[in-house]
Amino acid sequence: MRTGSGPGRAGRAAFAGRARGRGVAVAVLLAVAAGTAAPAGAVAAARGPAGRVDGVWRSDGYGTVLSIHEGRLREYQVTSVSCLPGGGLRRTGRGGDGAVVYTGADATVYRIRPRRLGHSATLHVDGSVGDRELRRLAALPGRCAQAAPVGARAVFDTFWQTFQENYPFFAAKGIDWQAVGNRYRPRVRDGMTDAELFALLRSMVLPLGDAHVFLDAYGTGFFAQGRAGTTVPSPELDQRAQRYIEQRDLGGTRLRSFAGGRIGYARLPDDTGYLRISGFGGYDEAGPTYARNSAVLDETLSEVIEPGLKHLILDLRINGGGSDALALQVAERLTDAPYLAYAKQVRNTPDDPAKFTRPQPVRVRPAPGRFRYTGPLAVLTGGETYSAGETLTQALMQRPARTVRVGQNTQGVFSDILTRVLPNGWAFGLPNEQYLTPSGTTFDGPGIPPDIRAGDFVEDIGRAAPDSAFAQALAALRRHDR
């Protein structure tokens, strides 16, 4: 959402990254804390007719209450100190599984499937993986019916509290967020300039070193960063990388271009396939929905994954992320056996950063009715492999057939981006989920390490040096033939 009030994970922080736009990675919150909660017993008393979704809902985790009435859905972004209206969607149909479908102006699609008794439901966002649990409320939290406070202090409090209640990685990064608040809040004053406020908020989150944290103050400024020592993916870097690969690795052969230029492919003389993917989304500007992106990807994979392939190199080194579901669609073409890719959980207790929802398993299932490549696979990664590029890498670690990772550690950001608004209209985002291996570990922060370490790809491009990762991937695949 990889944006956070919606799927999966493309924004200015990573040119095709987990969607940063409002509603791209649905962010729906469990905790309506003191001062915002419905009256005692309201949840237990709230009941709705089976099959009906009209009413008020909150989810287990995230930070959003949903109000649904007469074909309209409205999000409310909630913390213990704030309730701000988010995006709106309209009802557009009903799915074959009984889900009621709502669509936003940005083509985001929510599917809400009520359970039999009518007091609980699941929410699925097209392009994301997994579902979110919803519980009925008797009414909107009281704070949502009040005018939101304005001014720099209200902006600061909403910003700080949203991280306090949702960010999972303070301990891993050695950050005392309470101390950060104590340090910076005395500097906030109503009447300070937008530039001063932006600089203060930026300073607060800069030490996180998290590529899924951003702050968009529109005309005042924009902040995003990558992990130290890495480069944020961009269209310019992507184009430089493609020219380098064509010259250095393919001997001047041009890549066949697919999916709006986001996917490139070449077949080497020894029947090794080279598949380069720079993002999971943005494949068709004329039809920007997840369904259209999925159809374009399916058509592309049918063109390039074909009989006769002896080896395959999958290059994710400059990959800004996007939809996790699209990433899994690639994995489904690379196996004949189903397997567990990873499990996903979300932080769901505002006052306890160690509490998460029960991990939800995410599986890879062989694509039915399609040719699937099951031979040796080399996956090229680096610090510019972001988000959905990383979740695909993580899924392929469990692939039954031989798979080797070559390059450097991935960026280390897996969560959908939880996209929020501030009282002054600014937008910001943060991660609030963990993606776990079958053994229960996470690669957030340091990223996924390679099996075979090679040189820095971006440095190699800049120096016009040989592509050491590509060469080592070929060697590893050919060793398999001996």
Side-chain angles (χ1 to χ4, degrees), residues 265 275 300-307 309 312 330 333-334 371-373:
Y265 181 75
L275 178 61
T300 299
L301 295 175
S302 293
E303 284 276 330
V304 302
I305 297 179
E306 54 187 351
L309 275 182
L312 181 63
V330 176
R333 291 296 193 98
L334 302 176
F371 176 76
R372 300 183 294 270
Y373 172 78

Side-chain angles (χ1 to χ4, degrees), residues 77 79 81-84 148-164 177 181 184-185 187-202 204-205 214-218 220 420-428:
Q77 301 173 3
T79 73
V81 301
S82 62
C83 179
L84 294 168
V150 296
R153 288 190 178 90
V155 170
F156 176 91
D157 289 343
T158 300
F159 187 81
W160 183 89
Q161 193 68 34
T162 301
F163 278 86
Q164 172 72 1
W177 191 243
Y184 282 96
R185 195 175 193 283
R187 305 181 188 181
V188 180
R189 67 187 189 283
D190 288 335
M192 65 192 305
T193 67
D194 284 352
E196 290 171 330
L197 181 58
F198 174 80
L200 185 145
L201 299 181
R202 179 187 182 279
M204 291 170 62
V205 295
F214 77 87
L215 174 62
D216 194 344
Y218 300 108
T220 300
R420 308 278 81 176
V421 296
L422 289 166
N424 63 353
W426 295 355
F428 70 105

Side-chain angles (χ1 to χ4, degrees), residues 342-409:
Y342 46 78
K344 182 176 180 177
Q345 64 181 12
V346 58
R347 188 179 158 190
N348 70 341
T349 304
D351 57 358
D352 189 345
K355 293 292 181 65
F356 291 82
T357 57
R358 179 177 299 177
Q360 186 174 168
V362 177
R363 301 184 181 279
V364 174
R365 295 177 174 84
R370 302 289 190 272
F371 176 76
R372 300 183 294 270
Y373 172 78
T374 59
L377 173 69
V379 184
L380 305 184
T381 67
E384 293 69 39
T385 306
Y386 273 56
S387 202
E390 299 184 84
T391 64
L392 174 56
T393 303
Q394 187 169 353
L396 293 174
M397 290 174 67
Q398 316 306 324
R399 180 175 180 260
R402 183 173 186 271
T403 303
V404 60
R405 302 183 309 280
V406 183
Q408 296 196 335
N409 287 43

Side-chain angles (χ1 to χ4, degrees), residues 250-276:
L250 305 180
T253 299
R254 296 289 300 274
L255 288 168
R256 295 170 62 194
S257 181
F258 302 89
R262 309 308 302 281
I263 299 176
Y265 181 75
R267 190 152 173 171
L268 280 62
D270 66 350
D271 288 327
T272 295
Y274 171 80
L275 178 61
R276 181 172 183 268

Side-chain angles (χ1 to χ4, degrees), residues 69 105 110 128 134 226 276 295 309 343 366 378 437 448-449:
H69 182 65
Y110 296 175
S128 64
L134 302 178
R276 181 172 183 268
L309 275 182
T437 67
I448 300 173

